[in-house]
Amino acid sequence: MPQQLARLLVVFAVFTGGLVVTRHLLIPKTFGQRGHYRAAAVTTIQVRPLRYAGREACADCHADIVGLHGKGRHQTVSCEVCHGPAAAHTLAPVENQLPAPRKRAYCPLCHGYDPSRPTGFPQIDPVSHNPMKPCITCHNPHQPEPPHVPEECGACHGEIARTKAVSRHALLPCTQCHNTPVQHKVDPRLLHPDKPRNREFCGQCHAKDAPSPREIPRIDLATHGGRYLCWQCHYPHMPEVD
Ligand code: HEC
Ligand code: HEC
Ligand code: HEC
Ligand code: HEC
Ligand code: HEC
Ligand code: HEC
Ligand code: HEC
Ligand code: HEC
């Protein structure tokens, strides 16, 4: 017998030996009972504790949120994607509190601009999209459609309206600063809206002692910016200062 053939036979013998050992000793007993699958795995998995409850389980106690969520653009994002596994919470809600992702860094995990995402998926640039605040100040996480921005002027002043929509003045209506005669929208050249004329106008909200909501940033009207008009330094439709 040629030498090579003898070696080949040894290799062959080891290989079949291995197969036989694997077949009879290593393959689990219940393998193959239900196709290419270890039937006993079902029981093994069954005894593991349930961690997820599913959206329907939340409706018993949070009916309002489930209702809101079911109608909004996040309806395909299940509750437990954001709040984590909640089975224990549904059994004893007070003892098992769920976290809520309130921080700004969370939402861009899905919405931060990334060219590999499908076209049409709503994406934003987290650096420039309303940078100073958590997303949930403007978007309800359970129904995140962008807040209604007053846009009646946008038909003709589209660029200003779009600029303002992503600025810190987003929620101020145009008419807060421009008294607009109805006639202007019909025949714009006939009657012009007015424009703020002095520093005091901006001071209504931004002066130190102004009676406006506390979160509005304040300046000292007497000294800030010297004698210049505010909009010589701040574009009023996008007044960010960084
Ligand atoms: C048996 C009633 C019950 C069910 C079912 C239930 N919850 Fe709750 N949930 C509560 C109660 C009560 C609280 C308030 C607990 C507290 O403040 O001590 C709460 C609070 C929460 C909070 C608040 C966390 C925060 O930081 O304010 C979240 C989020 C929450 N539940 C999510 C869910 C989700 C998701 C489900 C479905 C998987 C669910 N809950 C099912 C009763 C329930
Ligand atoms: C996209 C992520 C996201 C999804 C999906 C989501 N939540 Fe929330 N949820 C949040 C965030 C963020 C907050 C904190 C809101 C705040 O503090 O204003 C919150 C707050 C809550 C609260 C407590 C505060 C409140 O508004 O009463 C409950 C209860 C809650 N969620 C339940 C649910 C349930 C039930 C679902 C599914 C029907 C769900 N959430 C789906 C992100 C999400
Ligand atoms: C797990 C991924 C995921 C997370 C996390 C998530 N979203 Fe969404 N978001 C989606 C999906 C999916 C849609 C629906 C897209 C569609 O309808 O094409 C959506 C839609 C939106 C829209 C609607 C855009 C439009 O043009 O109407 C806004 C706004 C939004 N999300 C804001 C948020 C905010 C704020 C958070 C954080 C609290 C958040 N999302 C967290 C997946 C996510
Ligand atoms: C100051 C309020 C404000 C904050 C804070 C804010 N947004 Fe928005 N967001 C808006 C407005 C207004 C629009 C609509 C803008 C438009 O139509 O051009 C919008 C639009 C969106 C859209 C839809 C974009 C599209 O192309 O359809 C997404 C997604 C979104 N925001 C996600 C976020 C996320 C994520 C955060 C936090 C990182 C966030 N927003 C923070 C006000 C805000
Ligand atoms: C039908 C289109 C149209 C609509 C709607 C419209 N505008 Fe105008 N607007 C114009 C045009 C055109 C001019 C330029 C007029 C000119 O140069 O004589 C103008 C000029 C202005 C000016 C500048 C006036 C000046 O003295 O420099 C302001 C401020 C203004 N519009 C504000 C508004 C506001 C606020 C709204 C919504 C309440 C609005 N406009 C709605 C077309 C429109
Ligand atoms: C916070 C106050 C404020 C708001 C809100 C505001 N404006 Fe103005 N706007 C001004 C000021 C101040 C000027 C004058 C700027 C100048 O003279 O350089 C101005 C100027 C204008 C002009 C003249 C052309 C220009 O760009 O200078 C137009 C048109 C205009 N605004 C339209 C609008 C529209 C449309 C909106 C709503 C989408 C709006 N404004 C919202 C303060 C505001
Ligand atoms: C009706 C109230 C109101 C008026 C009038 C107003 N603002 Fe504002 N301003 C706000 C609000 C609200 C914010 C956003 C605060 C926030 O994001 O928490 C803001 C933000 C700003 C910021 C951003 C500050 C920063 O830290 O980035 C500047 C700058 C600013 N305004 C300048 C002006 C100027 C200039 C005028 C006059 C043309 C003006 N504002 C008129 C309400 C007003
Ligand atoms: C000479 C240019 C100049 C003029 C004029 C000016 N500002 Fe400013 N403003 C700045 C600069 C630069 C900053 C950022 C540095 C700082 O905080 O002092 C700023 C910051 C601000 C802030 C943010 C403060 C904070 O704590 O976040 C507000 C609000 C503001 N200005 C409003 C106004 C108003 C209202 C007027 C008119 C009364 C005005 N500015 C006039 C240059 C100017």
Side-chain angles (χ1 to χ4, degrees):
M1 183 159 48
Q3 216 182 33
Q4 307 91 304
L5 202 56
R7 292 206 186 106
L8 205 60
L9 276 180
V10 170
V11 170
F12 191 70
V14 168
F15 185 71
T16 25
L19 265 185
V20 170
V21 170
T22 319
R23 182 72 191 83
H24 291 284
L25 296 179
L26 299 182
I27 291 186
K29 291 264 169 315
T30 56
F31 182 82
Q33 282 180 9
R34 301 188 190 169
H36 195 79
Y37 192 72
R38 184 172 68 92
V42 176
T43 4
T44 322
I45 294 168
Q46 236 169 17
V47 300
R48 293 171 65 182
L50 278 182
R51 298 182 64 227
Y52 288 89
R55 208 177 91 107
E56 293 72 27
C58 317
D60 290 345
C61 307
H62 302 294
D64 46 341
I65 293 183
V66 172
L68 201 65
H69 179 254
K71 282 187 260 135
R73 297 279 300 269
H74 271 169
Q75 56 182 281
T76 55
V77 185
S78 168
C79 315
E80 288 163 292
V81 168
C82 296
H83 292 296
H89 172 78
T90 56
L91 300 175
V94 180
E95 292 74 26
N96 302 293
Q97 301 272 357
L98 288 182
R102 295 188 166 86
K103 293 228 169 73
R104 198 180 145 86
Y106 179 73
C107 314
L109 292 177
C110 290
H111 290 291
Y113 180 71
D114 178 342
S116 68
R117 295 212 159 112
T119 353
F121 184 80
Q123 300 176 55
I124 48 108
D125 175 1
V127 176
S128 62
H129 183 77
N130 303 302
M132 321 297 277
K133 291 192 176 145
C135 315
I136 56 173
T137 33
C138 302
H139 301 284
N140 182 334
H142 306 126
Q143 199 172 74
E145 284 71 357
H148 180 72
V149 175
E151 57 196 351
E152 49 170 357
C153 318
C156 307
H157 299 288
E159 195 170 332
I160 293 179
R162 279 193 302 277
T163 305
K164 191 177 78 66
V166 295
S167 84
R168 295 191 63 185
H169 275 167
L171 300 180
L172 300 188
C174 308
T175 45
Q176 180 97 45
C177 304
H178 302 289
N179 284 317
T180 309
V182 180
Q183 199 58 34
H184 175 70
K185 294 200 216 163
V186 185
D187 189 351
R189 281 176 221 287
L190 189 68
L191 273 180
H192 283 173
D194 66 3
K195 295 187 281 187
R197 293 183 189 290
N198 49 36
R199 294 163 52 86
E200 284 68 31
F201 179 88
C202 310
Q204 291 171 67
C205 296
H206 290 293
K208 266 207 204 108
D209 46 356
S212 45
R214 221 163 19 100
E215 64 271 18
I216 297 183
R218 303 311 170 105
I219 44 108
D220 181 353
L221 198 57
T223 56
H224 180 82
R227 287 175 17 260
Y228 297 99
L229 291 167
C230 313
W231 45 95
Q232 284 176 281
C233 297
H234 301 285
Y235 184 50
H237 309 128
M238 172 67 103
E240 291 40 23
V241 296
D242 1 313

